[in-house]
Amino acid sequence: MPSNELLRVEHLKKYFPIKTGLLKHKYVQAVEDVNLFINRGETLGLVGESGCGKTTLGRAILRLHEPTAGKIIYDGVDITHEKMLPYRRKMQIIFQDPSASLDPRMTVGEIVGEAIDIHRLADNKSDRTKRVQQLLIQVGLNSEHSNRYPHEFSGGQQQRIGIARALAVEPEFIVCDEPVSALDVSIQSQIVNMLEDMQSEMGLTYLFIAHDLSVVKHISNRIGVMYLGNMVELGKSNEVYRHALHPYTQTLLSAVPIPDPRVSRDRKRIVLQGDIPSPMNPPSGCRFHTRCPYAIPRCTEEVPEWRELAPEHYAACHIL
Ligand code: SF4
């Protein structure tokens, strides 16, 4: 394993059982056979429509959802069945909806300080108070905010509190689960810029989840694209933007707004037919075949193999 690799995921699956009748079970196949790796200090952007399994994948990596099958290797250790407390400190999450993820009965100081207490990171009460205040300043709030409650803050400020909470344990790896999608567009870039600054200051590694390719474009070194629980393409950010291989990635890219109206006018938008199928009953073969404009008979029968088609550029499609 190369020494700069921090996280590796191999053949990860996450199914959720659903009771459909007396003694009858069906499964939502939320994540199906996903492979990826993330190097230290880099950002892997993960995109796909809502319901494609990207949030479940992020949570399964942190073992907030126990994986159904597959392996999670963190810093060279297979943590799939390990006790997670020592890793909780190293691996953190920033949630999509800051207002729902902050306990309304706790002050900001209690929210940020809770993780410091769990992991015994402060020597005494005044050290703890100092750490909380430093964290609030670091995320662009001020130290007096520690006595206030979450509802007294705007959405952007609440997300800053969520980020301070994640940083409180000095993590190495953070799953940023759509951290800006609930925020006003004007605030989004401030939060993304702050996350980027923190990454370079602290050497953080991110899995950055978004439903929109334009959000991950600037922050990501590499991009993974998911469709209905499968990873369909993964490659360096520029490569995926300039030479998208998978038909689904091409569809997503065709919907990304282009600032130059002349280029935008010439570009053909690919509109997918039909709705995304249910992960309870996914299509056979390639899960994208019911909507793919290039599908051939083989696509309905055979699951396409995950292959490296160019250096560090992977995709799963029979016609590539
Ligand atoms: Fe389309 Fe077939 Fe490729 Fe799937 S395997 S993306 S259905 S061409």
Side-chain angles (χ1 to χ4, degrees), residues 208-227:
F208 195 101
I209 300 172
H211 59 261
D212 184 342
L213 268 167
S214 51
V215 172
V216 294
K217 184 176 180 185
H218 299 292
I219 195 169
S220 305
N221 304 89
R222 289 183 302 125
I223 290 179
V225 180
M226 285 187 77
Y227 181 80

Side-chain angles (χ1 to χ4, degrees), residues 121-169:
L121 297 175
D123 296 334
N124 49 48
K125 216 176 153 194
S126 86
D127 185 26
R128 178 188 189 271
T129 307
K130 219 191 298 168
R131 274 172 174 265
V132 169
Q133 290 178 346
Q134 277 167 352
L135 283 158
L136 294 179
I137 292 164
Q138 205 174 349
V139 297
L141 298 170
N142 67 57
S143 51
E144 288 93 66
H145 285 147
S146 68
N147 296 321
R148 300 219 205 139
Y149 287 87
H151 71 87
E152 297 176 60
F153 295 88
S154 67
Q157 288 174 317
Q158 287 176 345
Q159 194 53 295
R160 288 173 192 269
I161 298 165
I163 294 169
R165 174 177 57 188
L167 294 178
V169 292

Side-chain angles (χ1 to χ4, degrees), residues 7 36 38 42-46 54 57-58 61 173-177 205-209:
L7 178 84
L36 59 83
I38 311 182
E42 82 164 352
T43 298
L44 176 67
L46 191 59
K54 51 195 191 306
L57 174 60
I61 287 171
F173 171 67
I174 303 181
V175 172
C176 304
D177 183 12
T205 304
Y206 293 147
L207 176 66
F208 195 101
I209 300 172

Side-chain angles (χ1 to χ4, degrees), residues 45-56:
L46 191 59
V47 291
E49 290 163 286
S50 62
C52 72
K54 51 195 191 306
T55 290
T56 304

Side-chain angles (χ1 to χ4, degrees), residues 273-285:
Q273 302 301 315
D275 294 328
I276 189 162
S278 162
M280 245 164 69
N281 193 15
S284 59

